[in-house]
Amino acid sequence: MTQFAPDVFCLTDDSRCQIDLPRVRFPEAPGSEAVPWQKLEIEEERLAAYVFTSGSTGTPLPYKKTWGRLVNCVRLEAERLGLLDGRSHTIVATVPPQHMYGFESTVLLALQSGNAFSAGRPFYPADVCGELASVPQPRMLVSTPVHLRTLLAADVHLPSADLVLSATAPLSQNLARETEQRFKTRLLEIYGSTETGQIASRRTAQTVDGSCSVAFAWSAMRSEPGPREATWSSRRPCATSSK
């Protein structure tokens, strides 16, 4: 990271943070004093993040993400997942927000859909189930096939969830069906990549021969000038966000 951006630093509100970078501690808001929210206008084309590939085929490669593209992607996701139905949903995740999937489907998804994101970072099956049970319904679990398989194999009580989201690896139909049955829910699988963001989803338990994926609106690949600038576009324009 320091080779890519020598001036990088870590902004954190966690006193236990031990990351080997210069750290800036974000102060906690006063408990007794109400702090009014200020509306922020962020330009669509403002560079918001560099995200890196996993490095499975070599050195991790950085990709630029503008605020408009990120917002457009997660708003389409929120619509597809049914998070814009007027209820207050809570997101619990087993994936870290520094992963592209976690970044879009936890932090940004909560910000752009007006819902809540649990600050817990559960890892073991009992911790995941405890965190999920502790938040109000409707609630969504954002996870992976590996984590779901471990949860189902563990001798723990599985609380109900209104939705389970899975990505990062192929999800078998048997695992999808068992997840839906045990969590008393529906499961959607997300398709995408670091380069493109999220592209499509499917309800794996009900697909036939791996078909029936639903695209996030109409999408197509395009290449733009400059290194590693491939992205996907939709016929819906990116909107400037107030969050």
Side-chain angles (χ1 to χ4, degrees):
M1 179 64 73
T2 54
Q3 291 179 352
F4 173 74
D7 58 347
V8 67
F9 64 92
C10 173
L11 177 64
T12 179
D13 61 357
D14 188 350
S15 60
R16 300 166 297 176
C17 177
Q18 297 296 319
I19 190 170
D20 188 21
L21 289 172
R23 295 186 293 274
V24 176
R25 178 77 185 280
F26 188 81
E28 296 183 2
S32 58
E33 181 180 345
V35 179
W37 289 96
Q38 294 184 349
K39 182 178 180 180
L40 297 178
E41 296 290 347
I42 304 176
E43 300 87 352
E44 295 176 18
E45 297 305 318
R46 178 180 290 274
L47 178 62
Y50 281 98
V51 296
F52 288 79
T53 58
S54 63
S56 57
T57 58
T59 303
L61 299 176
Y63 282 83
K64 294 179 180 180
K65 299 292 180 178
T66 63
W67 182 244
R69 291 175 187 165
L70 290 171
V71 167
N72 186 59
C73 190
V74 297
R75 286 184 176 177
L76 292 172
E77 179 188 12
E79 180 181 335
R80 170 65 180 141
L81 300 183
L83 300 183
L84 304 179
D85 59 2
R87 298 184 296 168
S88 297
H89 299 257
T90 303
I91 301 169
V92 174
T94 66
V95 291
Q98 63 264 32
H99 187 280
M100 186 61 185
Y101 167 48
F103 183 41
E104 288 185 319
S105 295
T106 61
V107 178
L108 290 180
L109 184 60
L111 285 173
Q112 290 302 315
S113 66
N115 289 295
F117 171 41
S118 170
R121 289 177 279 184
F123 181 76
Y124 295 105
D127 298 331
V128 175
C129 294
E131 187 69 24
L132 189 61
S134 70
V135 302
Q137 291 181 290
R139 55 198 179 203
M140 178 177 78
L141 177 64
V142 179
S143 194
T144 71
V146 171
H147 293 156
L148 292 175
R149 192 176 299 112
T150 302
L151 277 171
L152 296 180
D155 185 20
V156 294
H157 170 69
L158 300 178
S160 62
D162 295 86
L163 177 67
V164 174
L165 193 65
S166 179
T168 72
L171 178 70
S172 71
Q173 191 170 64
N174 287 338
L175 180 57
R177 287 174 173 172
E178 185 178 0
T179 299
E180 291 199 350
Q181 180 183 14
R182 298 279 301 278
F183 280 96
K184 301 178 177 61
T185 189
R186 62 190 179 100
L187 180 149
L188 292 179
E189 189 176 9
I190 290 285
Y191 289 89
S193 67
T194 301
E195 296 89 337
T196 63
Q198 301 174 55
I199 297 175
S201 68
R202 69 173 181 175
R203 187 169 178 182
T204 312
Q206 297 183 351
T207 60
V208 179
D209 297 328
S211 59
C212 301
S213 295
V214 179
F216 284 5
W218 177 86
S219 59
M221 294 298 298
R222 71 182 181 199
S223 295
E224 295 181 349
R228 296 184 292 275
E229 283 287 346
T231 185
W232 71 280
S233 62
S234 84
R235 60 188 173 190
R236 300 190 183 190
C238 297
T240 301
S241 171
S242 61
K243 295 191 177 183

